[in-house]
Amino acid sequence: MLSALHRRKRIGFFMVLPLLLLFIGLTVYPFAYMIYMSFHRYTLASWEKPEFIGLENYKEIFQDRTARSSVKFTILLLAVACPLEIVLGIGIAFLLRDFFGERTFRSTLLIPMMVPPVVAGIAWKMLFNFEFGPINYFLSLLGVDRVSWLGTQFFAQLGIILIDVWQWTPFVFLVIYAGLQSIPRDVVEASLVDGASGWSALRYIELPLLKPLIWVVLIIRLIDILKIFDLVYMVTFGGPGSATHSYSFYIYKVGISFGWDIGYASALSVILLIVVSLLTNLLIRFLRLREVLGL
Amino acid sequence: MRWLWKIARAVLVIITLFFFLFPVYWLATTAFKRSEDWFTWPPSFFPRYWTVGNFLGLEGGFFGSVTTAISTITPYLRNSTIVALFVALISTVVAALAAYAISRFKIGGMGFVSWIISIRMLPPIAAALPLYVIFSKLHLVNTWWALILSHLVFTTPFSTWVLITFFNEIPRELDEAAYVDGAGIWQSFTRVSLPLAAPGLAAVATLSFIQSWGEFLMALVLTTSKDAQTLPIYLGRFITGWRIAWGPLAAAGLITMIPVIVFSLLMQRYLIRGLTFGAVKG
């Protein structure tokens, strides 16, 4: 006779089973297959069977100039877009707090992050238009000449950064704003009574309390930028030249749109996967799962 | 000094809102502009003549190409709706079962929950390639199921995660009381906990729907024709050629965007909790 607790645990296991099967079928198996393929020469464009070539695919990455430039562009995105989003997001959270109509503003700022990236790409492609785009029009009001936004390396890269900032600063804002609401008001008020200025209350009390949250959003943004694809596809298609090939976009080109080179694309993906898992581990540490989930 | 700061603050708020809303405004108004207003200098910030021709496939015919007509959108709209509905339904059911078991019986513990989060963080391109090869062996490429299954990979972990926090908030004593009254686990789950977690279920179903609706990469890789392609892919096809038919494209974009915006505004209270991994209660 099983104890009641034991019986419940067993039923609990059956409740988790669908999820387990789903993930094993759709992630564990495919990734094992992908790692296996990364050691093979295998293209879907030919009829040849996969041929084992050891680490050749991985060695190729180091000699591949487009791969290198896609890594560079991705690092540029991480280094510029991420900090910008964090700083702006925090700034806007403090700006809107206790401001007239803050709830409405919070809702409106939810919109950019919910717009499907493909649609955002269309909107921005219109804004960036060389001849008729509103952005060049605004610049002309300031006396600046028309800028070929998607036609030159510098501006195309800047353009992608700008769109990412537009779409994801609201995410940082929402998290920080929600975090601010959860800071007990009396702590801050007590410090104000004690003669602290609003600025030092913010600097020495609120920001430190928000620190763990800032880490969480930072890591989530880093991970998400490593995946950036839709925007690049819609707005620049990696161009001009290979200036805006993000790493994910390059894998797509190698594996699907150009070469159907599954072996090489798998090797590139394995590296991406390793980087993302390292970041995810960091994220899990900062999320303080045990407290949040009461496990 | 104080009023100076007040004015500065108001100006900053206006700039912020302008930056974040203008692209959406531009898309929405372009969808109602007549073709002669798509290419003007200065750009027409407010349409002189409003038209619904972009939606009906009447404007932009002079480009001579079928892809500029929004009247061809129907199959894609159908595919998107079916795929997103199934994804929302299946991932909510699977996630609710798992989240309940994790919340109540600590099945799998920390390791299991960490694994679930790491699946949420997977780069889609990395999953897309092996899934393409596997699905083509199973003859699933260019079917709804290819999309439903691949979207589940990204929606289910998220839903599970959020629902764990929802179930945690439902007092355990309610379950205990149900057991005492002779209910089994299944009954206490379906009759007690599930109804109480209803807002959470609605939130994760909505989020899954939104994610699946806007998903681009998997649909791009795993589908090839209008039998299974979704709205984002349809939109992606517009972006070719040297002069793009902005009106119909914006109209199609607006159609793609509207359900998402409506849902997200309706559910925003719960979405924020979902988006922040339950770490913060919105």
Side-chain angles (χ1 to χ4, degrees):
Chain A
M1 188 66 194
L2 285 167
S3 72
L5 189 75
H6 225 79
R7 209 170 53 231
R8 275 176 217 161
K9 274 225 151 176
R10 211 176 54 183
I11 294 177
F13 175 75
F14 280 106
M15 295 176 87
V16 177
L17 203 58
L19 178 101
L20 210 54
L21 290 177
L22 192 75
F23 287 170
I24 289 172
L26 292 170
T27 65
V28 178
Y29 175 66
F31 282 124
Y33 181 78
M34 186 176 81
I35 294 168
Y36 171 80
M37 274 306 155
S38 72
F39 299 113
H40 288 72
R41 176 174 295 125
Y42 180 42
T43 61
L44 290 179
S46 78
W47 293 105
E48 282 161 47
K49 287 245 174 281
E51 176 199 350
F52 183 79
I53 52 166
L55 289 172
E56 284 303 314
N57 283 326
Y58 290 94
K59 278 185 203 152
E60 198 184 328
I61 297 173
F62 290 97
Q63 281 134 30
D64 181 345
R65 287 183 56 194
T66 325
R68 206 178 311 148
S69 81
S70 75
V71 169
K72 267 192 206 152
F73 178 57
T74 308
I75 291 175
L76 180 78
L77 280 175
L78 295 172
V80 180
C82 260
L84 211 59
E85 285 160 21
I86 300 283
V87 171
L88 282 176
I90 295 174
I92 297 171
F94 279 108
L95 182 71
L96 283 186
R97 188 175 54 159
D98 300 329
F99 192 78
F100 162 78
E102 56 177 308
R103 284 194 157 267
T104 323
F105 295 146
R106 190 183 79 168
S107 313
T108 26
L109 284 176
L110 200 67
I111 292 173
M113 61 186 290
M114 286 297 161
V115 171
V118 172
V119 181
I122 294 171
W124 280 90
K125 210 171 154 98
M126 290 194 279
L127 300 181
F128 281 140
N129 187 286
F130 177 70
E131 286 172 277
F132 309 107
I135 296 185
N136 275 352
Y137 177 73
F138 291 135
L139 288 179
S140 77
L141 293 181
L142 301 172
V144 181
D145 276 344
R146 278 186 179 157
V147 170
S148 172
W149 281 95
L150 306 178
T152 58
Q153 171 173 350
F154 175 79
F155 285 106
Q157 293 183 337
L158 183 65
I160 298 287
I161 291 172
L162 207 61
I163 307 175
D164 198 69
V165 167
W166 174 77
Q167 190 147 44
W168 294 110
T169 299
F171 169 68
V172 181
F173 157 76
L174 279 176
V175 176
I176 301 297
Y177 184 83
L180 272 177
Q181 308 289 27
S182 69
I183 293 178
R185 268 294 157 100
D186 39 338
V187 178
V188 181
E189 266 154 28
S191 77
L192 292 178
V193 170
D194 288 348
S197 69
W199 171 251
S200 60
L202 187 154
R203 169 79 182 75
Y204 295 105
I205 299 173
E206 293 176 304
L207 274 182
L209 283 171
L210 289 174
K211 218 154 130 199
L213 268 186
I214 295 174
W215 279 109
V216 169
V217 277
L218 176 68
I219 300 167
I220 292 179
R221 283 313 302 144
L222 289 174
I223 294 172
D224 283 347
I225 283 181
L226 286 173
K227 305 177 193 168
I228 199 167
F229 175 84
D230 321 29
L231 273 185
V232 170
Y233 184 98
M234 288 301 279
V235 179
T236 63
F237 205 75
S242 56
T244 57
H245 276 54
S246 68
Y247 193 76
S248 291
F249 184 77
Y250 184 57
I251 296 178
Y252 166 77
K253 266 194 137 174
V254 170
I256 307 283
S257 88
F258 263 21
W260 295 101
D261 191 343
I262 298 291
Y264 187 44
S266 298
L268 289 166
S269 305
V270 169
I271 294 196
L272 178 61
L273 214 55
I274 291 170
V275 176
V276 171
S277 338
L278 290 176
L279 282 171
T280 307
N281 267 318
L282 256 181
L283 175 68
I284 289 169
R285 204 159 299 168
F286 273 108
L287 273 173
R288 291 180 302 183
L289 282 184
R290 230 172 265 279
E291 291 168 44
V292 173
L293 294 181
L295 281 171
Chain B
M1 264 322 272
R2 240 191 136 73
W3 60 267
L4 200 68
W5 164 235
K6 267 191 177 161
I7 292 172
R9 195 173 172 193
V11 171
L12 283 175
V13 170
I14 290 169
I15 294 174
T16 304
L17 289 177
F18 180 77
F19 175 69
F20 288 104
L21 292 180
F22 186 71
V24 177
Y25 169 80
W26 193 254
L27 187 95
T29 50
T30 305
F32 296 100
K33 276 181 203 163
R34 281 172 33 173
S35 51
E36 57 264 35
D37 280 356
W38 304 343
F39 310 105
T40 53
W41 186 266
S44 82
F45 285 90
F46 191 76
R48 279 174 301 164
Y49 307 103
W50 293 75
T51 174
V52 287
N54 294 320
F55 291 88
L56 303 174
L58 304 173
E59 293 284 336
F62 59 89
F63 289 101
S65 142
V66 194
T67 52
T68 57
I70 198 179
S71 51
T72 53
I73 206 171
T74 352
Y76 303 92
L77 198 59
R78 174 202 61 193
N79 295 338
S80 276
T81 312
I82 291 173
V83 169
L85 281 178
F86 268 96
V87 169
L89 186 74
I90 300 174
S91 70
T92 307
V93 170
V94 171
L97 286 168
Y100 184 76
I102 293 169
S103 162
R104 287 295 184 271
F105 316 120
K106 315 280 177 236
I107 302 286
M110 283 281 291
F112 191 52
V113 174
S114 310
W115 187 51
I116 293 174
I117 299 179
S118 50
I119 289 176
R120 146 86 174 88
M121 293 299 167
L122 283 178
I125 184 67
L129 284 170
L131 284 180
Y132 177 82
V133 178
I134 292 164
F135 283 169
S136 54
K137 284 180 182 155
L138 297 171
H139 300 288
L140 282 175
V141 171
N142 203 31
T143 64
W144 290 330
W145 280 109
L147 292 183
I148 294 169
L149 287 172
S150 63
H151 290 176
L152 283 176
V153 173
F154 300 98
T155 57
T156 317
F158 205 57
S159 306
T160 309
W161 175 260
V162 176
L163 285 179
I164 293 173
T165 63
F166 270 92
F167 283 127
N168 275 348
E169 276 167 29
I170 299 169
R172 251 150 241 274
E173 289 73 25
L174 293 176
D175 280 334
E176 305 291 339
Y179 296 148
V180 172
D181 289 343
I185 291 163
W186 186 250
Q187 276 145 329
S188 83
F189 170 60
T190 53
R191 302 271 171 81
V192 180
S193 297
L194 219 45
L196 287 172
L201 297 175
V204 296
T206 308
L207 265 176
S208 304
F209 184 93
I210 290 174
Q211 263 186 288
S212 170
W213 182 265
E215 201 282 331
F216 181 65
L217 181 55
M218 291 291 179
L220 185 68
V221 174
L222 298 174
T223 61
T224 52
S225 78
K226 65 173 188 243
D227 292 338
Q229 282 178 336
T230 51
L231 283 174
I233 307 300
Y234 180 69
L235 295 176
R237 283 217 324 239
F238 270 102
I239 297 275
T240 47
W242 66 282
R243 264 204 172 178
I244 300 164
W246 290 123
L249 182 54
L254 194 63
I255 293 178
T256 309
M257 195 170 72
I258 280 174
V260 173
I261 291 190
V262 170
F263 271 148
S264 56
L265 291 182
L266 284 177
M267 301 298 294
Q268 55 161 315
R269 213 152 68 83
Y270 303 106
L271 288 184
I272 292 168
R273 174 138 53 135
L275 295 167
T276 56
F277 285 78
V280 169
K281 300 204 167 77

